[in-house]
Amino acid sequence: MKFKTVIPLYLMLLSTLAWTGCTPSEKKESEPSGTKKQIYEWRIYTLTGDGTALDDFFKETLIPAYNRCNIPVGAFAPYKQETGEKPAQEVKEQRYLLFVYPDLQTYNAVKQTVWKDSAFLTAAAPFFETTAPNPVYSEYEAFLCEAFDKIPEMRMPDKSRTLFEYRLYHSPNDEANLRKISMFNAEEIDLFDKVGVNSVCYGEILAGTHMPALIYLTWHKDMETRNKAWETFGNHPDWQRMKNDPKYKHTATNNQIQLLSPMPYSQF
C-alpha cells in the first residue's frame, strides 16, 4: 500500500516566515475577514523556590517587554483549595504563562525583537546575573498552539473569575487528534457554552513535548460553579451521544487537568 506524503499547513507556514519587527502585520485587502487564527504559546515553569523573584521578573520586566510588542500575557499558578488538609505528597510550585499572538509571523518577530529590546535587557540583567548561579526555576516546558476554527481568537474571561482550568488532551495518533479537534469545533464547544463551561482558548499543539495533542483553557467564578457546570455537562444527553459516537472513538486517550488561579499581574 502506498501512502501519500502530506505536508502539514503549519510547517508550510513556518518555512515562509520572515522577521518584520514586533508590530503585527497589516491585513491585506485581498485577505478574507475572520480567517486568521491566533497562536498561543504556553510556558510552564517549575520553580525551585517560593517564586517571588520570578514573579517580580514576569510582572516588571518580561511581560512589559511583550506588551510593548502588543502581546498580552496571562499568568497563573496551581489552584490551592483551602481545606486545611495537607496534600498526600508535595506538589511542585509552578507558573503557567500564556502569550497570545495574532499569527505565526508575529510570534517569530516578537521572539527576536524582545532580545533586541534595550529596555528589557537592562531591566533583566540583575535577574539573569542573580539567578544564573542560583536558579529560581529548574526548567520550563513550552507548547506552541494554533487556535481552533470554532474560536479563532481568545475569549476574555469575566472579571469575576477566580478559577481557570487547563486541559491537555493527548491522542494516540495524528488522525485521532484531528477527529478530537473536529469534535470540539462541531459540537463540544457549543455544549460548553450551554452548560456554563466558559471558554478562553483552544489550540492544536504545533510544537511541544506532548504530541499529537491539544490544549484548552476555561474559566469559572469559583469551584462550586465549576463543579456544577461539569456535572451538568457530564449528564447532558448531547454529551452522552457524542462520547458514544463511533466517529469520535479513541480520540483523546490521555488527559491532563490542572486547576489554576490567576496571578495578580495576569492580563486575563
Side-chain angles (χ1 to χ4, degrees), residues 157-229:
D158 190 83
K159 292 182 179 180
S160 67
R161 88 284 187 265
T162 64
L163 176 66
F164 286 85
E165 188 160 355
Y166 166 101
R167 293 196 175 204
L168 187 153
Y169 286 3
H170 185 270
S171 298
N173 56 52
D174 290 303
E175 187 272 342
N177 189 54
L178 290 175
R179 283 190 289 116
K180 183 59 183 177
I181 292 172
S182 176
M183 182 179 181
F184 274 110
N185 283 327
E187 46 190 337
E188 193 168 354
I189 293 175
D190 285 336
L191 183 54
F192 281 2
D193 292 342
K194 290 180 182 178
V195 302
V197 176
N198 305 299
S199 300
V200 179
C201 62
Y202 298 78
E204 176 187 3
I205 299 177
L206 306 181
T209 54
H210 301 281
M211 296 181 72
L214 61 89
I215 293 174
Y216 73 90
L217 186 70
T218 57
W219 70 269
H220 303 274
K221 183 179 179 180
D222 50 38
M223 182 63 77
E224 182 180 356
T225 57
R226 180 260 179 193
N227 291 343
K228 183 178 179 180

Side-chain angles (χ1 to χ4, degrees), residues 78-147:
Y79 177 82
K80 296 178 181 178
Q81 208 165 0
E82 296 180 1
T83 62
E85 299 178 0
K86 292 184 178 181
Q89 59 183 14
E90 185 177 354
V91 178
K92 290 184 178 180
E93 190 66 40
Q94 294 179 311
R95 293 292 181 270
Y96 285 64
L97 294 190
L98 171 60
F99 301 80
V100 180
Y101 306 89
D103 49 44
L104 276 169
Q105 186 173 0
T106 303
Y107 162 78
N108 186 56
V110 170
K111 187 174 182 181
Q112 297 181 52
T113 300
V114 166
W115 287 99
K116 295 179 182 178
D117 182 341
S118 60
F120 167 73
L121 295 175
T122 299
F127 173 80
F128 291 147
E129 292 172 3
T130 302
T131 61
N134 300 291
V136 293
Y137 63 88
S138 59
E139 61 186 1
Y140 71 82
E141 193 173 16
F143 299 94
L144 190 65
C145 308
E146 182 182 57

